[in-house]
Amino acid sequence: MDHLLLLLMLLSVSGKLRMKCPLNFDHQDGEKPWSYYRPGDFSISIVISASEIAPATLPFNIAPSSQTQFLPYDKKRILHMIFNIEVVNKNQQLLHNHTFGYNIRDNYMSNLGTSDALLDMLSTGEANVPNYGCGRKDNLLALLDGAVEDISIQMSTLGGPYKVSQTSDRIASEALADKNHFPFFHPMFPKQGIQYPAIVQLLLHFAWTLIGLFAPDTEKGEHFMRTFMPMLIRNRICVVISQQFSAIGHPAPLRDALSKWKQVNVFVHFIEFALLFDRILSFHSTLEGLPGPIEGKVWIMTMFGLYPIKKHRLLKYIHSIWSFPPQWKNSWEKDDAYKYRFFVEREFQAEYFHCSVLKHTFSVKDRRRCTQKASLETQEKKNRMQIGNSGYTYSVIKILAHALNAASKPQRRRKKGEERLGAPRLEPWKFHPFLKKKELYNLSLLKVYLDQNGDLAADLNVISKVILPEEDAVDKLLANFERQRVIINHDDLSQLKLLNKSLPQSKCVEKCHPGFVKKAREGEPFCCYDCIPCPEGTISTQEDTQKCTKCPDDQYPTKNQVQCITKRITFLSFEEHLGIILIFFALLLFLTTGFVLIIFLKYLETPIVKANNRDLSYILLVSLLLCFLSSFLFIGHPRKATCLLRQTVFSIVFSVAVSSVLAKTITVVLAFLASKPGNKVRRWLGKSLANSIILSCSAVQVLICAMWLGVSPPFPDSDLHSQPGEIVLQCNEGSVTMFYVVLGYMGFLAVICFTVAFLPRNLPGSFNEAKLITFSMLVFCSVWVSFLPTYLSTKGKSMVAVQVFSILASSAGLLGCIFFPKCYIIILRPDLNTKEHLVIKAGK
């Protein structure tokens, strides 16, 4: 292959190359490809996009460079480059006795133009033959990508084999981050995507949860969709309109999407500024054809630049256009390089450049090379054009200068007596390591820094160009994005209201207020939901809550379920109304029982007291006294002692009382049976039988209570859930089974007593207690039968009150039914309380 190339070169030089279709070398256009050149100690090769090639049909019998028509180019872009290089060259603190030269070439916004420019830059001789050194020799230091299109990958592919360091003054492609494939590319500007977190934070701050997402159907657009979409999903932002545009895209899908989701007022666009108005035109045409009112739409662009936008009818439906220009350091305005205003004439070539048409020996093309012969002036003259301070390019050139100083220091050391003939040659691969130093980023005029992944990031401004009717757009600094955090500018945000341009809403539904929770709608995006109240016992303190929070056990929610408050500790106390009422009746009945006992003791020798076993009456009255007193164990703060005693004391005392009634009933039955002639029951009558009944029946209850206390005794406890807003202090029964066994045994005694008393209720006698006992047991059983369902259906301190009431009611039933009739006779009818009356009644 090398021999073939050499043969072709020799044949071209000798003119013996024969072709069937000879090329026509006559130039068809007045303009030719150009390059701006200035020699220096070290050269920077720059590829920019200043012009473009007019579209035309290319015949095969004419050389491409001869038949191509080059449109007029933008000299201002070229002057930006030259201006910044001269600024650095004049700063002795940046370059010590060295100068930067340049070779600026245009790529005409095409891959072919880029390859041609790079081929010329990598060829150090006059001809475009890489690795062939002849004639002009340049110390090529670095390649600089200043083109509009993303040509960095193409430049790295061609320049990488020559180990030439490459950089760019604009956003670089994501692919160049792969150091294995592109080791010589050094980004001086943050990569695309550093503004994505800022966009997400802005959407969340303004509660824009329903958005549209648009990008071109290019590789960049695909990468944007793959990168940005997951960020939105992770932050619960719904993308209900997602489209990629092409140059010949059909408007129907966009029209259908916008008509379905009219409430979407925020669109995020990945787009270059050159195509902005083409995108606006398609949106304007689509929105104009939709029925109903259309609110102003917010366009959030991924662009870094800040561009002027004039009034236009196509902006009718746009509220504002947002972009993210980088922040500049405050110190860059004080840089000595920018203390003068630089002006150059509009027609600058004749005065500042010497242009000539150069034809390469080994090439069929020629170009116009303009070599700078005079420095750009700084005096203001008539008909001159001011050059804006291109801080992006200046930052790159300044960093290259610092890296050059660091790289050339070892080469400045010379042996004694050695003379220096010009600047020493610095090979590109020797310069490359000095650009890898991360501290060079501090020299940038931008507020750049290295993020947690070691990638270059920058602080950004959030500029909103607010569209006003019949006026040019107004710039508002709505926020700053510093160190990955958005800081809202509330002053400029409040000014939007003064302009009657408040930010629109962009969500499916209004937010759920605190106390409510979101419920997703079936078949719709997760941003569309209904608001339902939080379940009982839970709260929500923030808007749009996904899940309600349960209050701690010692707290309960407020009525509107927005916060938890501490529960009130409560129990059946002596101070509250219910406790006072129960205490009052307990004392009243206790005193009444004591009064009855006193009466019986005073009239103990009367027939009515002696009848039916006087000792059993005393035992019953004393047990009733204790029953009324036992109710005090259920009232007040539950403690360990009271919890252990209340149920056991109550059950044992009641068992004694019911056993006494049972003994009285059996005594009545046996007394009437013994009165019949020849009946042998008489020998059973006496105190021993009554005492045996009381002791045996009570002993069983004592045994049951002892087992209860031994197996699972009651203990103080807190009921946190039965009463809303209250913590009820109570006694936990320990073993619920034993509690019901105790009650069951007491009921068993009452049923036996009622049955035994019911049979002899009609026996004759003035002081027959069978009727009274029957009625008292009926009251007693009725109270405790109704106690069970009432006790089980109540909670908290009401359960305690029910049991206290049952104790008082059943005890009062025994006292009233058995003893009140006797007291009536003793006090009010003493004539009936005589032995004669008893004999007369018995005789009848």
Side-chain angles (χ1 to χ4, degrees):
M1 190 67 184
D2 294 337
H3 296 291
L4 179 60
L5 179 60
L6 180 61
L7 177 62
L8 291 175
M9 293 167 58
L10 293 174
L11 288 175
S12 177
V13 174
S14 62
K16 295 180 181 180
L17 178 63
R18 296 290 182 266
M19 303 179 66
K20 289 185 178 180
C21 299
L23 297 177
N24 184 356
F25 293 102
D26 295 334
H27 301 294
Q28 304 295 320
D29 57 309
E31 296 285 341
K32 294 180 174 60
W34 52 261
S35 68
Y36 285 92
Y37 173 80
R38 179 182 179 180
D41 296 331
F42 298 94
S43 177
I44 302 174
S45 294
I46 305 171
V47 179
I48 67 172
S49 298
S51 60
E52 58 182 326
I53 302 174
T57 303
L58 301 179
F60 288 95
N61 63 339
I62 301 177
S65 61
S66 301
Q67 60 180 306
T68 305
Q69 182 179 1
F70 301 96
L71 299 179
Y73 56 95
D74 182 12
K75 298 181 178 67
K76 186 175 181 180
R77 177 69 175 148
I78 306 166
L79 290 176
H80 278 161
M81 293 290 181
I82 299 173
F83 163 75
N84 286 286
I85 293 175
E86 285 207 353
V87 167
V88 173
N89 282 336
K90 290 180 180 180
N91 192 338
Q92 294 299 322
Q93 295 179 353
L94 293 178
L95 289 174
H96 304 288
N97 300 322
H98 292 161
T99 57
F100 276 146
Y102 57 81
N103 183 13
I104 304 176
R105 287 289 307 274
D106 193 356
N107 73 329
Y108 308 105
M109 298 185 184
S110 68
N111 293 332
L112 180 62
T114 302
S115 299
D116 179 60
L118 288 171
L119 191 63
D120 177 63
M121 293 172 176
L122 296 172
S123 302
T124 58
E126 292 292 342
N128 286 1
V129 181
N131 285 340
Y132 179 76
C134 177
R136 172 174 60 89
K137 295 282 187 177
D138 288 333
N139 281 347
L140 180 59
L141 191 68
L143 296 174
L144 174 59
D145 169 17
V148 173
E149 298 294 329
D150 186 8
I151 64 169
S152 293
I153 296 179
Q154 187 179 358
M155 291 181 66
S156 294
T157 303
L158 295 174
Y162 298 93
K163 300 181 180 180
V164 180
S165 298
Q166 177 194 344
T167 185
S168 175
D169 68 343
R170 59 190 63 244
I171 299 173
S173 173
E174 284 282 343
L176 292 170
D178 187 357
K179 291 301 180 183
N180 294 325
H181 291 85
F182 306 102
F184 298 99
F185 180 79
H186 302 279
M188 302 295 177
F189 198 82
K191 65 181 180 180
Q192 181 71 270
I194 63 169
Q195 73 276 43
Y196 297 169
I199 297 176
V200 172
Q201 292 184 40
L202 288 170
L203 295 175
L204 294 176
H205 177 81
F206 295 113
W208 291 333
T209 55
L210 211 65
I211 69 167
L213 200 61
F214 303 97
D217 58 349
T218 61
E219 183 179 354
K220 286 185 178 180
E222 290 283 353
H223 184 270
F224 167 73
M225 287 292 191
R226 290 195 307 269
T227 305
F228 191 58
M229 183 80 77
M231 298 175 64
L232 297 174
I233 296 175
R234 284 195 301 269
N235 288 276
R236 309 289 297 174
I237 298 173
C238 293
V239 180
V240 294
I241 305 176
S242 177
Q243 290 193 0
Q244 290 185 255
F245 284 85
S246 62
I248 56 174
H250 199 274
L254 177 62
R255 182 175 61 251
D256 295 341
L258 291 178
S259 61
K260 179 181 178 181
W261 297 101
K262 288 185 179 181
Q263 64 267 48
V264 178
N265 293 317
V266 176
F267 302 132
V268 179
H269 293 265
F270 181 84
I271 192 174
E272 297 292 340
F273 182 75
L275 303 175
L276 175 60
F277 270 86
D278 293 337
R279 184 79 58 85
I280 292 176
L281 175 61
S282 62
F283 268 77
H284 178 86
S285 303
T286 304
L287 292 174
E288 200 170 33
L290 296 180
I294 300 174
E295 297 183 20
K297 309 296 183 180
V298 174
W299 283 45
I300 300 179
M301 320 298 291
T302 59
M303 298 182 298
F304 281 102
L306 187 61
Y307 306 101
I309 296 179
K310 303 295 182 181
K311 61 182 179 182
H312 199 282
R313 67 175 186 86
L314 296 180
L315 305 177
K316 175 182 177 182
Y317 301 114
I318 297 179
H319 173 278
S320 54
I321 298 177
W322 296 24
S323 59
F324 302 86
Q327 294 185 20
W328 299 92
K329 294 179 181 177
N330 294 329
S331 59
W332 85 282
E333 297 177 350
K334 303 176 183 178
D335 197 303
D336 292 339
Y338 288 94
K339 64 184 179 181
Y340 301 111
R341 293 287 186 177
F342 280 73
F343 294 86
V344 294
E345 294 181 352
R346 293 184 180 278
E347 300 299 329
F348 66 98
Q349 277 191 1
E351 183 174 354
Y352 295 100
F353 290 88
H354 171 71
C355 298
S356 61
V357 177
L358 299 178
K359 182 175 180 180
H360 288 175
T361 305
F362 299 104
S363 177
V364 295
K365 58 189 174 183
D366 54 12
R367 65 175 51 82
R368 185 175 65 255
R369 167 163 285 174
C370 298
T371 305
Q372 187 175 349
K373 62 182 180 180
S375 177
L376 299 181
E377 296 183 2
T378 60
Q379 295 85 10
E380 185 174 1
K381 297 181 180 179
K382 185 178 180 181
N383 195 29
R384 297 206 169 189
M385 175 180 63
Q386 180 177 342
I387 298 300
N389 299 342
S390 180
Y392 301 155
T393 306
Y394 176 71
S395 294
V396 175
I397 304 299
K398 184 179 178 181
I399 290 174
L400 291 176
H402 278 274
L404 175 60
N405 284 333
S408 59
K409 281 180 181 179
Q411 301 184 28
R412 291 176 189 164
R413 300 172 182 172
R414 298 171 300 173
K415 296 181 180 180
K416 186 176 182 181
E418 182 181 350
E419 294 184 1
R420 175 179 176 180
L421 299 175
R425 183 174 180 81
L426 180 63
E427 298 298 339
W429 56 86
K430 295 181 180 179
F431 178 65
H432 158 69
F434 295 92
L435 277 178
K436 296 173 66 175
K437 297 180 179 179
K438 297 186 180 299
E439 59 267 17
L440 290 176
Y441 297 123
N442 296 328
L443 302 173
S444 176
L445 302 182
L446 300 174
K447 289 185 178 180
V448 295
Y449 59 93
L450 296 176
D451 61 13
Q452 61 272 18
N453 299 322
D455 298 326
L456 192 63
D459 293 338
L460 308 174
N461 291 325
V462 182
I463 300 296
S464 172
K465 289 188 172 291
V466 182
I467 308 301
L468 300 177
E470 306 301 327
E471 296 182 30
D472 292 338
V474 178
D475 290 344
K476 294 295 180 184
L477 178 62
L478 294 188
N480 302 104
F481 184 61
E482 299 178 357
R483 301 288 170 167
Q484 303 299 308
R485 187 170 64 92
V486 166
I487 303 172
I488 301 297
N489 184 357
H490 295 282
D491 293 337
D492 279 21
L493 195 62
S494 60
Q495 291 179 13
L496 295 180
K497 297 181 180 179
L498 300 178
L499 296 172
N500 198 22
K501 298 291 288 187
S502 297
L503 294 175
Q505 292 293 320
S506 187
K507 53 173 58 179
C508 187
V509 293
E510 286 297 323
K511 57 190 175 185
C512 289
H513 297 288
F516 290 82
V517 65
K518 296 194 297 186
K519 182 182 179 182
R521 296 177 182 173
E522 187 175 356
E524 295 193 23
F526 58 83
C527 294
C528 299
Y529 48 83
D530 295 316
C531 298
I532 61 174
C534 286
E536 185 179 355
T538 61
I539 63 167
S540 63
T541 58
Q542 298 179 348
E543 297 175 342
D544 289 338
T545 302
Q546 298 284 344
K547 184 179 180 182
C548 292
T549 305
K550 185 179 180 181
C551 288
D553 289 339
D554 60 343
Q555 297 180 0
Y556 72 102
T558 55
K559 187 176 182 180
N560 54 3
Q561 293 182 288
V562 298
Q563 66 175 344
C564 294
I565 57 178
T566 304
K567 291 182 178 179
R568 182 171 59 91
I569 297 177
T570 182
F571 53 89
L572 186 59
S573 64
F574 294 98
E575 292 81 10
E576 62 179 294
H577 298 301
L578 182 58
I580 293 172
I581 293 172
L582 293 176
I583 291 170
F584 171 76
F585 281 105
L587 290 175
L588 178 63
L589 293 172
F590 175 79
L591 295 175
T592 304
T593 305
F595 181 70
V596 171
L597 181 59
I598 292 172
I599 292 174
F600 268 60
L601 289 174
K602 184 177 180 180
Y603 297 95
L604 59 88
E605 297 299 334
T606 59
I608 199 169
V609 176
K610 288 182 178 181
N612 304 112
N613 199 327
R614 179 174 55 188
D615 294 337
L616 290 178
S617 299
Y618 293 153
I619 293 174
L620 179 58
L621 288 172
V622 172
S623 61
L624 289 177
L625 284 173
L626 295 177
C627 286
F628 293 130
L629 290 177
S630 66
S631 62
F632 286 90
L633 294 174
F634 293 84
I635 304 175
H637 194 290
R639 305 188 183 279
K640 186 176 182 179
T642 55
C643 289
L644 288 172
L645 292 176
R646 63 166 58 172
Q647 298 294 354
T648 55
V649 169
F650 146 72
S651 58
I652 292 173
V653 170
F654 255 77
S655 297
V656 172
V658 176
S659 300
S660 301
V661 175
L662 178 61
K664 288 174 73 67
T665 306
I666 293 175
T667 300
V668 171
V669 174
L670 292 178
F672 278 97
L673 291 176
S675 62
K676 294 181 179 180
N679 198 313
K680 299 180 181 180
V681 179
R682 180 182 297 274
R683 67 175 179 268
W684 291 98
L685 293 175
K687 295 183 178 180
S688 59
L689 177 62
N691 294 337
S692 299
I693 294 174
I694 296 174
L695 290 175
S696 60
C697 294
S698 302
V700 175
Q701 189 71 290
V702 170
L703 181 61
I704 295 173
C705 292
M707 293 175 59
W708 184 5
L709 296 179
V711 175
S712 179
F715 58 90
D717 195 11
S718 299
D719 183 3
L720 302 173
H721 307 290
S722 62
Q723 297 295 327
E726 293 182 352
I727 300 177
V728 181
L729 300 182
Q730 61 182 14
C731 288
N732 190 307
E733 307 305 342
S735 175
V736 179
T737 302
M738 296 302 296
F739 172 70
Y740 287 111
V741 168
V742 167
L743 292 181
Y745 178 73
M746 191 172 61
F748 171 73
L749 292 179
V751 170
I752 293 178
C753 185
F754 173 78
T755 303
V756 174
F758 181 79
L759 296 176
R761 67 187 184 284
N762 295 322
L763 292 176
S766 300
F767 305 114
N768 183 11
E769 283 188 317
K771 294 181 180 180
L772 302 179
I773 293 173
T774 301
F775 190 69
S776 66
M777 285 296 102
L778 182 63
V779 173
F780 185 90
C781 293
S782 300
V783 169
W784 287 104
V785 168
S786 61
F787 161 79
L788 287 175
T790 308
Y791 182 81
L792 294 175
S793 62
T794 54
K795 296 179 180 180
K797 60 184 180 181
S798 300
M799 297 177 65
V800 182
V802 168
Q803 188 168 0
V804 173
F805 173 79
S806 299
I807 292 172
L808 297 178
S810 59
S811 300
L814 292 177
L815 177 66
C817 294
I818 295 176
F819 293 101
F820 280 4
K822 294 182 178 181
C823 290
Y824 170 77
I825 294 173
I826 292 172
I827 301 301
L828 300 179
R829 296 294 302 275
D831 55 307
L832 301 179
N833 190 12
T834 61
K835 187 175 181 179
E836 292 75 11
H837 178 74
L838 177 63
V839 172
I840 295 172
K841 191 73 176 177
K844 289 182 179 181

